[in-house]
Amino acid sequence: MSAVDTVFLDDLRAIFGDRFSISEALREQHGKGESHHTTAIPDAVVFAETSEEVAQIVRLCAQRGVPVIAFGAGTSLEGHLAAIRGGISIDLSRMNQVLRVSAEDLDCTVQAGVTREQLNIHLRDQGLFFPIDPGANASIGGMAATRASGTNAVRYGTMRENVLSLTVVLPNGTIIKTASRARKSSSGYDLTRLFVGSEGTLGIITEVSLRLYGIPETISAALCSFDSVESAVSAAISVVQLGIPVARMELMDRGLIAAVNAYSGTSLKLADTLAFEFHGSPASVNEQVEMVRDIVIEHGGKDFEWATSPEERNRLWKARHSAFYAVVSQRENAKGWSSDVCVPVSQLSECIVYTRGLLENCSVPAAILGHVGDGNYHVVFAIDPANAAEMDEVGLINKKMVKKAISVGGTCTGEHGVGTGKIAYMREEHGVAVDLMTVIKNAIDPLGIMNPGKMLPQD
């Protein structure tokens, strides 16, 4: 039950004026992400513009024991934003300043509300870019909080590897910096990694320092179709094992290709497909393309098409990034249920084939896609949340897929995060280590006000 009373709300309104709202429509928007999870609205929304304002709100909430949920771009998929115990949603979208860029050091510092696309537009004239690309135009703070990755992770890593330092507001309102800008340090506990992936349960990230990269001299993309998912995944594993530094390597099953063609107006061949992107000098890109071409042909790949023009590449990746909406659009008034797991690359083929078997008799539209270069794959379903039988059916498929991943040494989520959607699998994956996570949570947030009900199971 929410601990918020009208006096407390009046106090916030007096401080923040028109940046405070109890509008039902706005509260509903802030109580959900983009997936099927049940909306749970906060008691109020406050738009913060500085770390100090976030700290002020958190201190007031701590005095009353009021829950606090950070909100960025609203693109999360596992129920992270639901105010399941009420409370205050702190909207960070107005904290959208790029504070510093150092071309010499290849790093920058941004406020948490800066979005991925906004940052790359800002960097473009300096010949730099930030490569982490989860598909959605997510906020950098949200990407750090969920330890996001995406299509470029096979070459550039995830947010875990690319966050240098954070500014965080702790549950008592204290503001800390987790690290210096140095590229390495042996000093103290690694607080940066503690907060990256903490999903707002330990504190609110307000500023992020990031690694940057030079825009590649040459960028090229390629598509190749296969007669089976097994053949496509086998080819992808060979590319990884031979150490070819592809920037992107994406699997799209034939069901997804059909949905994408209908949604995006593309005319991709209706087959299980691998999509690649290559970064580097002209000579190195040519070498990568030739090596990958030989590998995919050896594994039964057909119609290897190589695209170098920005228009062709952008069209391809725009279609790929619309996959979630493409699947959902196959059914009127549907909601998307998107689940992801990540497994050792050696187990990827077995797990994807197993998952495809689970989908054979599924009564709702569904498709498989994945960042197969790092063992991460997704299933997207178009569901009717009001249909209990349908929800049970998809829930069982999801459960079997997750348990299979964990059984082969994988994880219940490679990049979406835990939220409420994967909380049931935390103990199965981590065992007694969950108890240590709980000790850390209770030590940092003894009142339990930071995004309560997320990440850790309440046994």
Side-chain angles (χ1 to χ4, degrees):
M1 180 179 294
S2 172
V4 178
D5 58 41
T6 55
V7 174
F8 178 71
L9 296 179
D10 287 342
D11 289 344
L12 285 174
R13 183 183 289 107
I15 297 169
F16 292 96
D18 61 4
R19 290 189 285 130
F20 168 90
S21 177
I22 56 172
S23 156
E24 185 170 354
L26 189 65
R27 289 159 55 210
E28 182 173 353
Q29 174 194 339
H30 284 72
K32 62 183 178 181
E34 289 198 337
S35 194
H36 70 288
H37 295 284
T38 303
T39 300
I41 66 175
D43 293 279
V45 177
V46 182
F47 291 85
E49 295 181 351
T50 65
S51 296
E52 289 71 23
E53 286 189 347
V54 174
Q56 183 179 18
I57 298 166
V58 171
R59 281 194 295 270
L60 290 170
C61 288
Q63 291 169 10
R64 304 287 188 93
V66 173
V68 182
I69 307 98
F71 184 96
T75 57
S76 67
L77 294 171
E78 289 291 0
H80 300 90
L81 302 175
I84 57 179
R85 297 180 193 168
I88 305 301
S89 174
I90 303 181
D91 189 311
L92 306 176
S93 61
R94 298 186 187 183
M95 295 180 63
N96 59 357
Q97 300 299 308
V98 177
L99 301 174
R100 178 193 61 81
V101 176
S102 174
E104 296 86 355
D105 295 314
L106 290 176
D107 69 8
C108 70
T109 300
V110 303
Q111 289 184 307
V114 170
T115 65
R116 174 183 65 83
E117 292 179 5
Q118 177 193 347
L119 176 58
N120 277 321
I121 290 171
H122 184 92
L123 295 171
R124 190 166 51 201
D125 290 343
Q126 301 183 56
L128 301 172
F129 82 120
F130 180 65
I132 309 305
D133 178 4
N137 188 24
S139 68
I140 297 296
M143 289 168 62
T146 56
R147 203 185 297 135
S149 54
T151 56
N152 277 323
V154 64
R155 176 161 181 161
Y156 297 100
T158 71
M159 289 299 284
R160 180 183 64 188
E161 291 79 34
N162 287 281
V163 172
L164 297 171
S165 177
L166 299 167
T167 298
V168 179
V169 175
L170 298 180
N172 63 2
T174 301
I175 301 173
I176 66 165
K177 270 191 179 276
T178 61
S180 70
R181 287 176 53 210
R183 286 302 177 105
K184 65 178 183 178
S185 172
S186 296
S187 172
Y189 297 127
D190 191 346
L191 296 180
T192 304
R193 300 299 171 270
L194 177 63
F195 285 97
V196 171
S198 63
E199 301 183 11
T201 62
L202 301 179
I204 296 179
I205 296 168
T206 58
E207 294 179 9
V208 188
S209 292
L210 299 164
R211 295 176 184 267
L212 301 178
Y213 299 80
I215 295 174
E217 182 182 0
T218 300
I219 302 176
S220 181
L223 279 178
C224 188
S225 59
F226 295 83
D227 290 333
S228 69
V229 165
E230 297 96 315
S231 297
V233 175
S234 179
I237 291 172
S238 293
V239 171
V240 172
Q241 291 174 338
L242 286 173
I244 302 171
V246 294
R248 292 173 170 173
M249 183 163 54
E250 296 289 296
L251 170 70
M252 298 181 281
D253 80 349
R254 64 190 63 207
L256 179 61
I257 294 292
V260 164
N261 281 343
Y263 182 80
S264 299
T266 51
S267 55
L268 303 175
K269 182 177 178 181
L270 193 59
D272 300 310
T273 300
L274 285 180
F276 301 90
E277 189 166 279
F278 309 93
H279 294 178
S281 67
S284 68
V285 165
N286 284 338
E287 182 181 19
Q288 292 173 48
V289 170
E290 291 302 322
M291 293 174 70
V292 168
R293 189 206 309 268
D294 291 344
I295 290 169
V296 297
I297 290 174
E298 183 180 333
H299 287 83
K302 303 173 183 177
D303 306 311
F304 187 88
E305 298 179 13
W306 180 12
T308 56
S309 76
E311 295 77 18
E312 291 180 70
R313 286 190 287 103
N314 291 339
R315 183 172 56 86
L316 166 63
W317 293 115
K318 184 177 181 181
R320 163 60 184 85
H321 284 326
S322 71
F324 177 84
Y325 306 104
V327 174
V328 177
S329 71
Q330 294 179 99
R331 187 176 179 194
E332 191 173 357
N333 298 322
K335 284 282 190 180
W337 180 327
S338 180
S339 182
D340 83 311
V341 295
C342 190
V343 300
V345 171
S346 62
Q347 303 296 316
L348 184 61
S349 182
E350 176 185 339
C351 289
I352 289 182
V353 170
Y354 173 80
T355 301
R356 188 156 192 176
L358 296 175
L359 299 180
E360 282 183 357
N361 298 311
C362 182
S363 65
V364 305
I368 298 173
L369 58 150
H371 318 312
V372 287
D374 56 14
N376 185 198
Y377 71 96
H378 310 248
V379 178
V380 180
F381 303 88
I383 52 100
D384 174 7
N387 187 321
E390 200 171 283
M391 293 294 286
D392 288 345
E393 177 190 5
V394 173
L396 182 59
I397 293 172
N398 178 61
K399 181 177 182 178
K400 289 180 176 179
M401 180 178 79
V402 171
K403 285 181 171 291
K404 176 67 173 177
I406 294 173
S407 74
V408 300
T411 176
C412 66
T413 174
E415 61 184 10
H416 290 178
V418 177
T420 58
K422 294 291 179 66
I423 202 168
Y425 307 105
M426 287 292 284
R427 191 163 293 280
E428 182 173 352
E429 179 177 337
H430 297 284
V432 295
V434 170
D435 299 330
L436 178 58
M437 297 180 198
T438 303
V439 169
I440 294 169
K441 164 70 172 174
N442 291 338
I444 297 175
D445 181 23
L447 298 176
I449 64 170
M450 304 306 293
N451 207 8
K454 317 296 168 53
M455 179 78 78
L456 297 176
Q458 304 297 309
D459 294 333

